[in-house]
Amino acid sequence: MTEGSKVVDVVPQPGHIRVAFDDGRSIAASHVIAADGMWSPVRKMLHLDQPGYRGEWHAFRQYRRASGPEARKLWVGSSPTCCPGTHGRFP
């Protein structure tokens, strides 16, 4: 895992993927996990992006005021129409 450096190039090569960083380092890996968001620069470097693609998933956030033991819970909600297989709220 590499943190704190910017990926400047990703090149698939026979048997591995070469990843170059802005600090001059590069690594060879059998797999690369790019957790760099919806508009992934890594996906663009690999030419896997689609022009005009605006995404299929959206996240919304809402805050709720709580006190006592309720204040220590994490509440996650979803809509069954948005996310089939989910069943509303769960603490």
Side-chain angles (χ1 to χ4, degrees):
M1 181 170 69
T2 300
E3 293 184 48
S5 296
K6 180 179 177 181
V7 173
V8 294
D9 201 12
V10 181
V11 181
Q13 297 179 337
H16 68 277
I17 300 168
R18 173 73 49 191
V19 180
F21 300 95
D22 64 345
D23 62 5
R25 294 178 306 118
S26 70
I27 60 172
S30 59
H31 294 83
V32 173
I33 299 172
D36 55 354
M38 178 70 190
W39 313 116
S40 173
V42 171
R43 180 173 44 192
K44 290 177 184 174
M45 289 176 207
L46 292 169
H47 306 288
L48 299 174
D49 59 324
Q50 300 171 16
Y53 177 70
R54 302 299 294 168
E56 298 170 13
W57 294 94
H58 302 279
F60 300 92
R61 175 183 348 196
Q62 182 176 359
Y63 294 93
R64 134 181 222 259
R65 189 177 309 269
S67 60
E70 292 293 307
R72 300 199 52 81
K73 291 182 180 178
L74 171 64
W75 292 85
V76 178
S78 63
S79 165
T81 58
C82 172
C83 307
T86 63
H87 303 288
R89 289 191 181 147
F90 51 92

